[in-house]
Amino acid sequence: MQGKKRMFEIGAILFLLLGIISFWPPEPSEELLTSFTTKKNQRSSNSNRYHILIDYTKPVFMRRLWLIDSESGETICHSHVSHAWRSGVLYASNLSNQPQSFLSSAGLFEAQEKYYGKFGKSMRLVGIEEGINHKARTRAIVFHKNYFFWTYGCFGTWQTVNDKIVELANNNALIYVHCE
């Protein structure tokens, strides 16, 4: 237990130091936008004006989440987002759709209802890509607040970011998680 606590302390320090010096472009890459647009166009409808894009090709200490208003094209939020510890230390490269894997998932998700749970305000998700993330609801993959680099498979962000995401994106927003 002591080693695990120490690892989280080191992770938090790295997160702060590397976050301060990370100057990644504030807009999503063309590859990420193209992949999202392709996936989105395969869907029949989407009633929520907000989309969340996550780029797992970027390391965990970089800001790799964008909350975008699709009506104005404005980036509402550009932030850090955690991935599962078992998916990789810096990059989420080991992904799964299996329950109890404690790994991150990729692909297109749909935001569902908000709720208050173990981590406070949170938002449930449904994976909508068969064979890639369709078990996300069963796996309890959600958005929740998190102050470390890693989770057990959920999307964790700072509390203020999480609150904004949950309020704007709940009820049918699309979430696209891009990886290599």
Side-chain angles (χ1 to χ4, degrees):
M1 185 64 175
Q2 189 71 349
K4 193 174 188 180
K5 181 181 177 189
R6 183 73 176 147
M7 187 182 316
F8 280 118
E9 289 172 351
I10 292 169
I13 291 167
L14 283 172
F15 184 77
L16 291 172
L17 290 175
L18 294 172
I20 290 169
I21 61 170
S22 65
F23 297 103
W24 207 265
E27 298 303 320
S29 69
E30 284 301 315
E31 180 183 1
L32 175 61
L33 289 171
T34 301
S35 295
F36 170 68
T37 302
T38 301
K39 299 273 186 182
K40 184 178 95 170
N41 289 342
Q42 294 170 356
R43 305 238 334 128
S44 57
S45 67
N46 176 42
S47 61
N48 194 308
R49 70 189 266 183
Y50 299 98
H51 304 304
I52 297 170
L53 305 178
I54 297 172
D55 192 349
Y56 275 169
T57 67
K58 309 295 182 240
V60 71
F61 57 81
M62 304 301 285
R63 293 185 303 153
R64 56 188 182 163
L65 176 146
W66 292 264
L67 173 62
I68 298 173
D69 181 335
S70 63
E71 290 180 10
S72 69
E74 178 186 0
T75 297
I76 304 298
C77 179
H78 181 211
S79 180
H80 296 93
V81 62
S82 61
H83 65 258
W85 168 253
R86 294 182 63 196
S87 287
V89 177
L90 292 178
Y91 295 91
S93 55
N94 185 17
L95 307 172
S96 179
N97 190 33
Q98 295 305 310
Q100 300 302 309
S101 66
F102 303 109
L103 294 169
S104 294
S105 293
L108 195 62
F109 297 82
E110 187 175 80
Q112 297 291 292
E113 72 279 1
K114 62 182 172 182
Y115 70 100
Y116 292 87
K118 179 179 176 181
F119 296 99
K121 189 184 291 187
S122 303
M123 179 174 65
R124 291 188 174 95
L125 307 175
V126 171
I128 53 180
E129 290 193 70
E130 188 69 31
I132 296 173
N133 65 13
H134 73 281
K135 296 180 183 177
R137 182 79 181 212
T138 303
R139 294 182 60 207
I141 303 298
V142 300
F143 263 93
H144 65 70
K145 72 178 178 185
N146 187 47
Y147 298 110
F148 302 103
F149 282 117
W150 306 283
T151 63
Y152 290 115
C154 294
F155 303 103
T157 59
W158 295 104
Q159 183 171 352
T160 54
V161 173
N162 184 70
D163 289 349
K164 185 176 288 191
I165 287 171
V166 170
E167 287 307 314
L168 295 177
N170 78 81
N171 296 320
N172 303 323
L174 291 179
I175 298 138
Y176 178 61
V177 180
H178 178 69
C179 65
E180 292 180 340

